[in-house]
Amino acid sequence: MESSDIPKLKISIVPFVKGADYSSIEYVYVKKESNLAPIQGEMDEREPSPIYAATHIFLDNAIELSKYPSLEYQKEYNDYNWDEQTYIQFLGHFVEAPIAEQGENHIVFFPKVSELFFFKESALQKIPFDEFQKTEPKLAKELIDALDPKITESWPLFVIMVCDPTPDWTNQYEALYKGLYQSPREKWKSYLVYNYQFPTEDELKKLKGIVVSGSKLSAYDKVEWFSDFGALLKSIINEQSTTKVYGACFGAQFIAHALGGKVSQMNLKGIPKCMNREKIALKESQIELLNQMSKELSLDKEFLAVECHTDHVEEPPAGAKVIGTSEMTPVEMYEIGKTVLCTQFHPEFNAYYMQKRLFPRLTKLYKPNWSNIDEIIDAHVKQLYTTRCDNAKFNSFLKKWLKS
């Protein structure tokens, strides 16, 4: 049971076609017979982030689906197959799209498209950008600024360090983290660290915050890129006193390992993986925003979050303070000063994401050795949908903390 006090998010979409140079825009697509209004919809409360919601709305309202035969619609979810390659490509357009706000709880996406897209000609019309500027001057200005490097140079810079090399995770962590934490007039960049992609020296100097993703790997594996990535994180944590660093699951384990802590496989007590909702006892933090979140829960600081892991931090690194524990692992959350925060749980995963994307994978993976895996997964699905979840509150905190 996902709990959130946030009203339903309204989403507008303005697809645009770029001109010859970096800042020129030739056309935008708007709804036909609607006074040049953008494509619009509302975010389904099940969806894990606004980027998934925007992709869904875009495909439903703007794209001639018959022209994309591999784009699979899953009737049991009333949603598209998130693993299908065409869907992943569309998702990528929204990962890269600039955003703006149009009033409270209303986000606007500007996905860059091309003339090769098969748009619904019965529903949309293409208009020159200068015509759109006359009807929507504020939105047009936001898009122009987002494409001008002289302007974006001054925007706060955040990076997502993607650590999972599995091909079918393409654009997934980016769509989750960026969708949940990005605000207008910010630069968010993704680096595939397993391909030795790292921020430049100039970017490191400007860095406001880092999010280190999950991964199928273990922090104690002998992997070639681990050494360089660990050295980079250690340098940032020790030398850049204002850069916020957040790690989730593998990210939390890898940061601990890089700084001298101990990561090990858990005692899973008759299950193949910890993949449920876990009760976490929160302790006093040096981060006042986190203490405020704890007080708002008003539940003796008991916090419920989504887990999906087989390893955990057995011993935190020197200088770290454990601020969250659970029955499954004594180190659910730890902090280093006020700028490093790590969680074993996944705030970016909700019940729907677990059911639709992760559980089918885990069922297939564990079927050969776990004859009762279907029963285990069914029990986890039931638990996820019948217990409270505090991910929304944590994500609201985390978005503020990364920028504080």
Side-chain angles (χ1 to χ4, degrees):
M1 183 169 58
E2 307 298 324
S3 63
S4 173
D5 301 324
I6 302 171
K8 189 167 284 191
L9 183 70
K10 186 176 180 179
I11 291 175
S12 293
I13 302 168
V14 183
F16 72 95
V17 178
K18 281 189 68 175
D21 62 80
Y22 70 86
S23 61
S24 66
I25 304 161
E26 289 191 1
Y27 301 101
V28 299
Y29 286 87
V30 294
K31 292 164 65 177
K32 270 188 177 177
E33 301 173 359
S34 61
N35 197 25
L36 308 185
I39 303 158
Q40 292 187 340
E42 288 187 335
M43 181 172 172
D44 188 318
E45 62 184 7
R46 301 174 307 160
E47 290 171 309
S49 89
I51 288 180
Y52 285 90
T55 305
H56 194 164
I57 292 166
F58 182 69
L59 292 174
D60 279 353
N61 293 277
I63 294 299
E64 191 62 65
L65 299 179
S66 63
K67 301 291 186 180
Y68 299 92
S70 64
L71 194 60
E72 180 187 353
Y73 193 83
Q74 298 176 318
K75 291 183 179 179
E76 65 269 36
Y77 296 110
N78 291 320
D79 201 349
Y80 298 88
N81 180 358
W82 293 347
D83 294 324
E84 196 277 317
Q85 286 302 308
T86 304
Y87 175 86
I88 291 171
Q89 291 171 10
F90 278 114
L91 187 70
H93 285 281
F94 283 89
V95 166
E96 298 297 326
I99 64 170
E101 289 178 347
Q102 198 170 35
E104 192 174 1
N105 295 312
H106 187 175
I107 188 169
V108 182
F109 286 88
F110 301 100
K112 184 178 72 172
V113 298
S114 77
E115 303 284 1
L116 299 178
F117 277 54
F118 291 104
F119 286 103
K120 284 184 178 178
E121 294 183 2
S122 61
L124 301 178
Q125 60 180 321
K126 182 173 69 174
I127 63 169
F129 185 65
D130 57 2
E131 190 174 343
F132 180 72
Q133 283 180 291
K134 294 174 185 176
T135 58
E136 296 282 358
K138 291 183 179 179
L139 289 183
K141 175 75 162 54
E142 290 293 324
L143 178 55
I144 290 170
D145 286 355
L147 298 180
D148 188 343
K150 293 180 182 178
I151 292 177
T152 59
E153 180 71 17
S154 64
W155 290 4
L157 174 63
F158 300 86
V159 300
I160 301 167
M161 311 301 273
V162 182
C163 302
D164 197 323
T166 312
D168 60 7
W169 275 93
T170 301
N171 291 329
Q172 298 288 334
Y173 276 120
E174 297 93 321
L176 291 165
Y177 293 131
K178 192 175 179 183
L180 289 166
Y181 308 134
Q182 183 187 24
S183 298
R185 293 185 171 264
E186 293 175 349
K187 288 174 68 175
W188 282 74
K189 299 186 69 173
S190 301
Y191 292 92
L192 309 181
V193 293
Y194 53 84
N195 283 341
Y196 286 89
Q197 294 179 7
F198 301 111
T200 66
E201 287 295 327
D202 187 55
E203 287 173 334
L204 288 172
K205 293 175 184 176
K206 300 174 181 177
L207 205 51
K208 181 79 172 173
I210 297 176
V211 178
V212 185
S213 82
S215 177
K216 69 172 186 177
L217 302 171
S218 293
Y220 47 79
D221 287 341
K222 302 299 181 183
V223 178
E224 192 172 344
W225 55 268
F226 277 14
S227 177
D228 289 346
F229 185 39
L232 174 65
L233 288 174
K234 192 173 182 180
S235 172
I236 292 169
I237 291 168
N238 291 335
E239 298 173 19
Q240 297 188 204
S241 60
T242 60
T243 301
K244 299 294 198 308
V245 179
Y246 171 69
C249 198
F250 170 85
Q253 298 160 13
F254 188 85
I255 291 169
H257 186 74
L259 297 178
K262 183 178 180 181
V263 177
S264 62
Q265 192 173 74
M266 302 166 63
N267 177 6
L268 291 166
K269 303 175 183 178
I271 57 173
K273 192 180 189 78
C274 180
M275 45 186 171
N276 61 341
R277 186 102 69 213
E278 193 73 13
K279 293 180 181 179
I280 300 167
L282 299 178
K283 300 180 180 180
E284 193 74 17
S285 168
Q286 298 172 77
I287 302 169
E288 189 52 39
L289 281 172
L290 187 56
N291 291 330
Q292 290 174 16
M293 184 200 76
S294 300
K295 292 174 184 176
E296 289 170 6
L297 291 174
S298 301
L299 295 163
D300 298 323
K301 294 189 177 180
E302 184 179 83
F303 178 85
L304 283 81
V306 174
E307 309 267 352
C308 190
H309 59 106
T310 54
D311 292 340
H312 68 160
V313 177
E314 186 176 337
E315 297 174 8
K321 179 185 178 184
V322 177
I323 56 172
T325 62
S326 73
E327 182 180 350
M328 290 296 289
T329 176
V331 186
E332 277 284 358
M333 299 174 64
Y334 69 88
E335 64 186 12
I336 302 173
K338 296 181 180 181
T339 59
V340 179
L341 177 65
C342 294
T343 66
Q344 184 54 67
F345 61 85
H346 283 273
E348 75 278 19
F349 292 169
N350 64 3
Y352 183 57
Y353 195 88
M354 293 286 284
Q355 180 190 20
K356 184 177 186 302
R357 189 163 200 277
L358 295 182
F359 285 158
R361 279 175 165 69
L362 296 173
T363 300
K364 184 177 179 180
L365 175 66
Y366 293 121
K367 196 80 168 178
N369 298 315
W370 292 80
S371 59
N372 63 336
I373 190 62
D374 291 322
E375 290 80 5
I376 293 173
I377 294 294
D378 287 345
H380 285 323
V381 170
K382 182 177 180 180
Q383 190 241 18
L384 286 173
Y385 279 106
T386 56
T387 55
R388 192 186 84 246
C389 182
D390 297 316
N391 278 24
K393 288 186 180 295
F394 187 83
N395 284 326
S396 178
F397 147 74
L398 191 58
K399 184 174 182 178
K400 294 176 185 175
W401 174 75
L402 282 168
K403 303 163 192 193
S404 63

